[in-house]
Amino acid sequence: MTRKVAISDAVAVGGGLPFALIAGPCVIESESLCREIAQSVKATCEALGIAYVFKASFDKANRTSGAAFRGQGPVKGLEILAGIRQDFGMPVLTDVHEPDHCKLAAEYVDILQIPAFLSRQTDLLVAAGETGKAINVKKGQFMAPLDIVNAVKKIEATGNERILVCERGVSFGYNTLIVDFRSLPQMATATNCPVVFDATHSVQQPGGLGTASGGTREFVPHLARAAAAVGVDAFFLEVHPEPEKALSDAATMLPLASLAGLLETLQAIERAVKQ
């Protein structure tokens, strides 16, 4: 059993609790879209009794092409996230890409997320840890499961132990990711941190479309079900009402309409495993 990490007064992850959900669009395309998704997912999670954290990136600094849409930027983007946090009464997560982003973003959100590409960046990890906020560290596509221990120690050195570790696949040749499900218990045992499984980025084909990443959305439910059977503390799912029209990660996001059915299946698997 991993340690329990408090995200907000009402939401905690780990410590033997039923899985939580981190879900939302890849990037803040617009305030109206974020609110539509937040309202829909909140209703689904309340009906199923699942703790929910809304996620969206105010800036995607690691897009394949320099011409790709990056988001609304820190000023407008963080204000949109703060509005969702306040109006819907839910904790919120966003990515940070630079040390200077951490203190600013911490004023608006509940979880700072370290992107997988940046999971070895010491200054970023330390700056995030120093905010005292919960931190979700995505394991780099280039890292073995036990390598995440070093990232966790960098954050813990700041006195912050509110850390989640996230599996999102590992590079397999060119433009392909695979998931080694042994990584989930390995990371849990090695760090004692709650383990998150990112089912949507795990089916990504990085740079697979030349100027954008491709993906195989149809395998998201398969990987999520496998993770539920192994056991995780939270699922990370990017969702969109019309994924094909999304401005980022269009090939991997889950259709919003299919979320409830998948969550019900994951709950059934979790109950069966715990019995």
Side-chain angles (χ1 to χ4, degrees):
M1 182 184 300
T2 58
R3 64 174 174 247
K4 183 167 69 173
V5 172
I7 306 302
S8 67
D9 292 339
V11 174
V13 179
L17 293 170
F19 72 78
L21 176 67
I22 301 169
C26 178
V27 66
I28 300 175
E29 298 180 22
S30 68
E31 182 174 7
S32 60
L33 176 70
C34 286
R35 285 180 169 267
E36 175 187 352
I37 293 172
Q39 183 175 30
S40 176
V41 179
K42 180 181 180 181
T44 296
C45 287
E46 286 181 344
L48 297 175
I50 296 172
Y52 174 46
V53 178
F54 178 82
K55 69 80 48 184
S57 299
F58 64 84
D59 178 31
K60 299 294 291 185
N62 52 0
R63 296 301 306 276
T64 303
S65 168
F69 178 76
R70 289 181 53 162
Q72 302 294 337
V75 177
K76 184 177 180 180
L78 290 172
E79 288 179 351
I80 290 172
L81 293 174
I84 289 172
R85 181 191 192 196
Q86 177 177 330
D87 296 345
F88 291 96
M90 63 178 67
V92 171
L93 172 151
T94 198
D95 300 276
V96 287
H97 295 87
E98 302 174 15
D100 289 346
H101 283 166
C102 296
K103 187 175 180 180
L104 173 63
E107 298 178 11
Y108 296 86
V109 304
D110 302 274
I111 305 179
L112 301 180
Q113 180 166 276
I114 306 299
F117 286 123
L118 302 177
S119 54
R120 287 182 55 172
Q121 295 297 103
T122 301
D123 292 346
L124 180 61
L125 292 164
V126 170
E130 287 176 342
T131 66
K133 290 288 183 175
I135 313 296
N136 184 36
V137 185
K138 287 199 167 184
K139 179 176 71 64
Q141 302 92 326
F142 45 84
M143 290 169 62
L146 296 185
D147 291 343
I148 199 68
V149 172
N150 293 314
V152 169
K153 287 182 177 178
K154 291 176 183 180
I155 298 171
E156 288 180 335
T158 69
N160 187 346
E161 294 188 344
R162 301 175 63 202
I163 306 166
L164 316 177
V165 292
C166 182
E167 173 62 77
R168 49 101 1 112
V170 64
S171 295
F172 184 74
Y174 298 123
N175 307 122
T176 304
L177 301 173
I178 59 170
V179 178
D180 178 356
F181 285 97
R182 296 175 299 177
S183 71
L184 302 176
Q186 286 176 333
M187 290 196 298
T189 299
T191 66
N192 195 36
C193 297
V195 175
V196 182
F197 180 62
D198 180 347
T200 46
H201 283 104
S202 290
V203 300
Q204 192 179 64
Q205 296 171 326
L209 300 180
T211 58
S213 291
T216 51
R217 181 186 301 112
E218 64 271 22
F219 293 117
V220 169
H222 298 276
L223 295 187
R225 291 195 295 264
V230 174
V232 292
D233 299 295
F235 285 94
F236 181 107
L237 297 167
E238 290 190 335
V239 295
H240 196 285
E242 297 180 282
E244 296 82 3
K245 297 181 180 180
L247 300 181
S248 178
D249 280 354
T252 58
M253 281 198 282
L254 191 72
L256 190 58
S258 66
L259 178 62
L262 176 58
L263 292 176
E264 289 175 347
T265 300
L266 299 181
Q267 285 184 310
I269 294 171
E270 182 180 60
R271 286 193 295 266
V273 170
K274 288 185 175 179
Q275 289 173 358

